[in-house]
Amino acid sequence: MRDVVEIGLGKTAQRGYHLDDIAIVPSRRTRDVDDVSTAWQLDAYQFGIPCVGHPSDATMSASSAVRLGQLGGLGVLNVEGLWTRYENPAKVLEELAGLDEDARATKRLQEVYAEPIRPDLIAERVRELRAGGGTVAVRVSPQHTLALAPVILDAGVDILVIQGTIVSAEHVSTTDEPLNLKEFIADLDLPVIVGGCTDYKTALHLMRTGAAGVIVGIGGDDWSTTESVLGIRVPMATAIADAAAARRDYLDETGGRYVHLIADGDIQTSGDIAKALGCGADAVMLGEALSLCEEAPAGGAWWHSAASHPSLPRGAFEVAGEPLGSMERLLFGPADEPDGQLNLFGGLRRAMAKCGYRDLKEFQKVGLVLDR
C-alpha cells in the first residue's frame, strides 16, 4: 500500500521517491561483465543499448541521430525543431551555443523557433536519416500530430514518437478537434511511442491506445522549469515503478501484450541509468547527458524542447561547455573521471554483472533499498 501523508486537514499526498532516494541491492550471485547483454527490442527493431536520444535540437540532428543508431541506440529527430525550419541551421546553432545564461537566451530561442515548419524539410531530414542505414524515428507533439502526420508517414519513418510534457489518452477540448490516440494508432502499421506520463492510471490508459512504448517522466533535470511554471515535479523512481505495475496489469489484461517503458528525467550518470532500469524501465531517454559529446549539434549547449515555447517556456538555457569526448566514449568509455558521466553503458553492464543478472529483463527484478 502506498504511503499516504496528511499534509493538512482534508488533504493528503502520496509519498514519492526520486532515483537519488534509492539504491540497488546486489544479490548473492555475481557475473562476468562479458556475459552481460544490454540489448533490447521495440516491436521488430533491435538495439544494442537501452538508449533513446531525447529529441532536443541541442543533441539530435540527422547525423547525430544516425551516429547514436550506429552505436546501438535509437536517435529521435524533432520534426518541429530547427532542422525542419531552416535548410541549414548551422549558423543558428552556432549563435545559440554562444549565448549567455540569462533571460535573453530564452527570448532568442523563441525568436529562432518562430520560423515556420517546412514540410519539404521534414521529408528531407527523414531521407537523411534513412540514408544513415539505421532505424528512423521522429518526434511530433500531440498538438501537431494530425497536421504533420501525413508528411511524416509519406516520408517513411520506422517509429513515431508522440511526445509532450504531459500526454493523456483522453484530451478534452471545446475549441479544437483533439487527437484520439487510440484511433490514430489503430490506423498505423508502425510502432508508436507516446508520453510523457507520471502515474499508474495514465500509463495504463496510454497502453490501451495500442502504443508500443510509453515515455515515463517529463524530461526533468537541473535545467527543466516545469515545476516552477506548472507546479509539476515527478519522483522518477516511483513513476517508473507505477508504470511497470500498469504494464503488468495490461499484460494480464491483453493476454501477453508487452509495452516498453522509456524513462525520461533525472538521468545523468550510469548509476541513474541502472536505477531507472531496476525500477522497471526498458530504456532511458538521454538529453543533457548527450549534449556533452563532440557530435552534439549545439556544441555543448543544452535546452529542452519546451524551452522555446512562444508563450510559456519551460526550460532554462545551459551555456555550452567543453565536450567530454566522442559519443562513443560517452556511451562506452574509457572514462578518466569517476563521476559516472563517461562510459554510461559500460557502467550499466558492470552494475548488472555485480548483481548477477545477464540481461535487462532479469535486471528489472533487482532489489532496491531506500536510504535517504
Side-chain angles (χ1 to χ4, degrees):
M1 190 70 177
R2 176 69 59 79
D3 188 8
V4 177
V5 179
E6 185 177 278
I7 60 173
L9 293 176
K11 196 67 173 180
T12 60
Q14 293 184 340
R15 193 185 298 277
Y17 300 99
H18 296 269
L19 294 176
D20 281 349
D21 296 323
I22 63 167
I24 290 169
V25 180
S27 67
R28 63 181 177 82
R29 179 186 292 113
T30 56
R31 188 178 297 274
D32 192 289
V33 71
D34 293 329
D35 295 332
V36 169
S37 171
T38 58
W40 72 295
Q41 182 169 336
L42 179 74
D43 201 75
Y45 302 101
Q46 298 181 352
F47 306 97
I49 54 174
C51 176
V52 179
H54 192 287
S56 167
D57 289 325
T59 55
M60 287 290 106
S61 63
S63 61
S64 65
V66 166
R67 182 57 179 152
L68 182 55
Q70 292 170 342
L71 294 169
L74 174 64
V76 181
L77 187 73
N78 183 11
V79 297
E80 298 174 30
L82 298 176
W83 302 96
T84 59
R85 298 173 191 264
Y86 298 87
E87 193 157 344
N88 183 3
K91 288 186 177 179
V92 176
L93 287 163
E94 184 179 355
E95 178 198 347
L96 293 176
L99 292 177
D100 292 328
E101 187 184 311
D102 56 23
R104 288 174 296 176
T106 296
K107 188 173 187 300
R108 187 57 184 143
L109 280 176
Q110 292 173 319
E111 290 170 351
V112 298
Y113 279 91
E115 192 75 13
I117 297 169
R118 291 172 45 183
D120 62 309
L121 286 180
I122 293 179
E124 174 60 28
R125 300 312 178 204
V126 171
R127 280 194 292 270
E128 292 174 12
L129 290 168
R130 180 69 61 196
T135 304
V136 177
V138 300
R139 174 264 180 188
V140 64
S141 67
Q143 295 90 337
H144 296 116
T145 295
L146 293 177
L148 296 180
V151 180
I152 295 169
L153 298 176
D154 285 346
V157 301
D158 297 319
I159 297 173
L160 180 63
V161 179
I162 301 176
Q163 184 183 19
T165 301
I166 297 292
V167 174
S168 72
E170 185 181 350
H171 180 69
V172 179
S173 175
T174 58
T175 57
D176 298 311
E177 180 186 358
L179 172 66
N180 186 316
L181 274 172
K182 189 170 186 178
E183 291 181 1
F184 179 80
I185 293 173
D187 289 337
L188 301 180
D189 59 358
L190 78 166
V192 179
I193 298 171
V194 297
C197 74
T198 64
D199 62 358
Y200 170 92
K201 286 185 179 179
T202 306
L204 183 59
H205 287 176
L206 289 177
M207 292 171 191
R208 288 171 175 166
T209 67
V214 170
I215 299 169
V216 182
I218 58 174
D221 59 22
D222 290 342
W223 304 95
S224 171
T225 61
T226 299
E227 181 183 2
S228 300
V229 177
L230 301 180
I232 296 172
R233 181 172 71 232
V234 182
M236 283 297 294
T238 297
I240 297 167
D242 284 354
R247 179 179 58 202
R248 286 192 297 272
D249 291 346
Y250 182 69
L251 197 68
D252 292 339
E253 180 182 300
T254 58
R257 186 173 186 273
Y258 187 91
V259 178
H260 292 81
L261 301 179
I262 301 169
D264 182 24
D266 291 339
I267 298 170
Q268 303 290 334
T269 67
S270 53
D272 295 334
I273 294 171
K275 288 191 279 187
L277 298 176
C279 286
D282 296 281
V284 297
M285 185 169 271
L286 294 185
E288 185 189 2
L290 289 181
S291 73
L292 302 174
C293 72
E294 293 167 351
E295 293 89 339
W302 166 249
W303 63 91
H304 290 87
S305 300
S308 60
H309 193 282
S311 60
L312 198 66
R314 297 179 301 281
F317 180 88
E318 182 181 5
V319 174
E322 289 296 320
L324 295 180
S326 67
M327 187 183 294
E328 182 173 12
R329 185 180 177 213
L330 196 82
L331 300 179
F332 303 115
D336 55 10
E337 292 289 341
D339 57 9
Q341 289 185 294
L342 287 170
N343 200 1
L344 293 172
F345 292 92
L348 171 63
R349 287 171 61 90
R350 185 76 60 175
M352 293 169 65
K354 294 292 186 186
C355 296
Y357 295 97
R358 61 184 174 184
D359 60 37
L360 296 176
K361 282 288 187 293
E362 284 190 358
F363 188 60
Q364 289 175 341
K365 303 173 185 176
V366 72
L368 301 173
V369 64
L370 182 69
D371 64 348
R372 294 292 178 94

